[in-house]
Amino acid sequence: MIGPFVALATFVSVVHAQPAVDLLIDHGFPSTGTLNLNTVLAAVTAKKGTFHFGSTYDTFDADQSWFDGIFTTFYRHVVAENGCKWDATEPSQGVSSLTECLGAQSFANQFSNTFRGHNTFWHSQTPSWLPGSFSASQVVGTIIPQHVQAEIQGMGASVTSWDVVNEVVGDGVSAGMTSLQCVQNKGDWPTVTKDGSGVPLVTDLSFIFAAFKTAFQFAGANTRLAVNDYNTGGAEAKTACVINLIKSIQANTTIPFNRLAVGFQSHLSASTGGFDSKSALASTFSTLSALGVSAMITEMDIEVNANATPNLRYQAAIWGDYLDACLYASNCFEFINWDPRDDLSWRGSAAAATLFDTNGNPKPAAYEVAARLQNFANGGAEPCATASGTSVCKITVTGSSTVGSTTTASSTTTSASSPPTGCVSAQFAQCGGVGWTGCALCAAGTTCQVLNPYFSQCLT
């Protein structure tokens, strides 16, 4: 997560304008009522191989009953917002304290959710004994490896992914910079002796390599190891820096590319210029896929100009585009929404930046997210870039439940086929639901029973 002062600098130049948008929830997918993603997320995982969709949690969060409910029915993947950061996990040098981090993991386990780690190295939220007056060799050879080992080993092999290093690339980078130049541009410890001091300490990327080498040694065999950063995702110079950094990490640690990942924080604004286009995201994800590297959306939130219906619909369109970019990419398996509801958001409740309002009620973006997940699970066509506005993207519906998309720019239309006639679904198989394109008949002895608007199942 980026700090509040960085956030101001990040979003101050955004132009506050937005188009009218067309959404899946305008075309037959539910836009009201109770949301339960259990079945659809299972179907998405079955289609992609694995898919984790979740949000943040800390053991000291209030309104525990709401958290219990929402992490049972909607968010099914947990990341500790603060409980696994360095200040919480090593308050005294060499003394590991994983109470809060393990508490968040225990909460995930309680509801059969998966868990990811955030983070082992960050220049911010460090314990009081850091940065200190340590030498470069102490930082690289002892302090970082000792901390990374204690945290990753202590949290166990089931963690789906770790943000091994967080926010290490500068905001002032430019095209053509080397990985080292990109990191030195950040101007934070440990490349300087003290944040903003300008006095060099670690003069190469050895601190990053040390963190990744240690993480790889002690993480689970299926755990992905990520560089996590903000203002990334599209064709920005900072995105190029992060991709080059991943290449440098692989070359200097020999960690297989298929164990590495890039986390795109995605702290966005629902305004022109406040987010990357779906096509830009798809291009970046494809570049990483060609290397064998995973892409992740790790800290998604979207500030709106006003908490009003047109703004919330635009927010939903952007959320849908980012989710689609991940769903339809071959290498994106985790999607984290940062803070589960508006009153808990690090951006403040007035920003209305999450999927649920201050009372914990789902906003249009929550329903649109559910619709995108269901559309993907059903084998539906990828909708066009809805955040582009209705002048570019209008969604079309064929029949009562078939969802497709059209881009008016090219006047092309693709749609999923209607449910085939004559085929039969076995017991426990899906037989209907919004956007369903498979068999509508059930095997003898079973009937097609509606479980929710998205899912009907063949049951006795």
Side-chain angles (χ1 to χ4, degrees):
M1 186 182 83
I2 62 177
F5 298 107
V6 177
L8 285 173
T10 301
F11 302 121
V12 71
S13 63
V14 169
V15 177
H16 297 296
Q18 60 187 51
V21 296
D22 197 24
L23 303 170
L24 284 186
I25 57 174
D26 299 328
H27 298 280
F29 288 89
S31 59
T32 60
T34 302
L35 285 169
N36 189 321
L37 297 184
N38 287 329
T39 301
V40 68
L41 286 174
V44 170
T45 286
K47 189 175 178 65
K48 282 184 72 72
T50 186
F51 187 71
H52 305 290
F53 178 85
S55 188
T56 53
Y57 172 81
D58 278 320
T59 59
F60 44 81
D61 284 326
D63 200 355
Q64 190 62 46
S65 62
W66 184 85
F67 273 89
D68 290 352
I70 208 68
F71 279 93
T72 304
T73 59
F74 191 85
Y75 302 119
R76 300 314 312 269
H77 190 44
V78 175
V79 59
E81 183 166 6
N82 294 289
C84 297
K85 291 173 181 173
W86 205 336
D87 58 349
T89 56
E90 194 181 357
S92 299
Q93 186 181 4
V95 179
S96 180
S97 178
L98 299 177
T99 302
E100 293 296 333
C101 195
L102 286 168
Q105 186 183 53
S106 178
F107 173 80
N109 293 339
Q110 179 184 352
F111 299 108
S112 299
N113 288 356
T114 46
F115 181 81
R116 82 178 299 264
H118 172 81
N119 52 64
T120 65
F121 175 87
W122 189 22
H123 68 274
S124 185
Q125 285 186 245
T126 52
S128 59
W129 56 275
L130 287 174
S133 56
F134 301 100
S135 68
S137 61
Q138 286 175 305
V139 170
V140 174
T142 302
I143 291 173
I144 289 176
Q146 184 179 60
H147 172 69
V148 173
Q149 176 182 346
E151 184 162 12
I152 289 185
Q153 192 172 37
M155 295 305 297
S158 65
V159 179
T160 61
S161 62
W162 275 101
D163 292 329
V164 179
V165 297
N166 190 56
E167 299 176 10
V168 293
V169 174
D171 293 323
V173 297
S174 57
M177 280 188 171
T178 66
S179 297
L180 178 58
Q181 289 171 329
C182 292
V183 173
Q184 288 175 329
N185 180 264
K186 183 73 177 180
D188 284 326
W189 179 82
T191 61
V192 293
T193 56
K194 182 179 178 182
D195 287 1
S197 69
V199 179
L201 179 61
V202 179
T203 58
D204 54 22
L205 297 177
S206 58
F207 76 100
I208 294 176
F209 302 152
F212 271 87
K213 285 178 181 178
T214 309
F216 182 64
Q217 181 179 355
F218 293 100
N222 297 314
T223 302
R224 291 178 172 88
L225 308 173
V227 173
N228 190 51
D229 223 317
Y230 62 94
N231 283 359
T232 56
E236 308 90 354
K238 191 168 182 178
T239 298
C241 277
V242 171
I243 294 173
N244 285 336
L245 181 56
I246 280 289
K247 293 177 181 178
S248 294
I249 291 167
Q250 196 285 323
N252 286 273
T253 65
T254 68
I255 298 172
F257 274 127
N258 64 6
R259 291 291 306 281
L260 298 174
V262 173
F264 300 97
Q265 289 188 7
S266 307
H267 296 296
L268 311 175
S269 173
S271 301
T272 302
F275 58 93
D276 285 307
S277 68
K278 184 195 282 195
S279 61
L281 291 169
S283 178
T284 297
F285 291 3
S286 179
T287 297
L288 291 172
S289 178
L291 293 173
V293 174
S294 294
M296 305 173 180
I297 302 296
T298 55
E299 303 185 18
M300 184 84 171
D301 54 28
I302 309 173
E303 181 179 7
V304 295
N305 300 332
N307 196 351
T309 296
N311 307 78
L312 296 177
R313 283 178 55 82
Y314 192 37
Q315 180 188 58
I318 301 166
W319 225 298
D321 283 357
Y322 270 67
L323 180 56
D324 277 344
C326 181
L327 288 172
Y328 288 89
S330 63
N331 60 329
C332 187
F333 305 103
E334 295 197 46
F335 193 102
I336 304 295
N337 307 277
W338 204 253
D339 293 315
R341 69 188 206 192
D342 287 346
D343 60 318
L344 303 174
S345 174
W346 71 284
R347 302 181 73 170
S349 58
T354 78
L355 292 173
F356 291 81
D357 66 21
T358 57
N359 295 314
N361 298 314
K363 293 155 63 177
Y367 290 105
E368 187 66 12
V369 159
R372 302 296 175 111
L373 290 166
Q374 187 65 59
N375 183 57
F376 176 83
N378 291 345
E382 181 179 357
C384 52
T386 51
S388 301
T390 53
S391 64
V392 174
C393 171
K394 291 183 179 179
I395 296 172
T396 60
V397 177
T398 303
S400 61
S401 62
T402 302
V403 177
S405 63
T406 180
T407 53
T408 58
S410 59
S411 299
T412 59
T413 303
T414 55
S415 62
S417 58
S418 299
T421 58
C423 70
V424 176
S425 292
Q427 186 178 6
F428 303 122
Q430 185 173 359
C431 55
V434 174
W436 174 243
T437 60
C439 302
L441 299 177
C442 289
T446 65
T447 58
C448 190
Q449 299 181 29
V450 177
L451 301 184
N452 59 56
Y454 296 119
F455 193 82
S456 299
Q457 189 174 25
C458 293
L459 301 171
T460 57

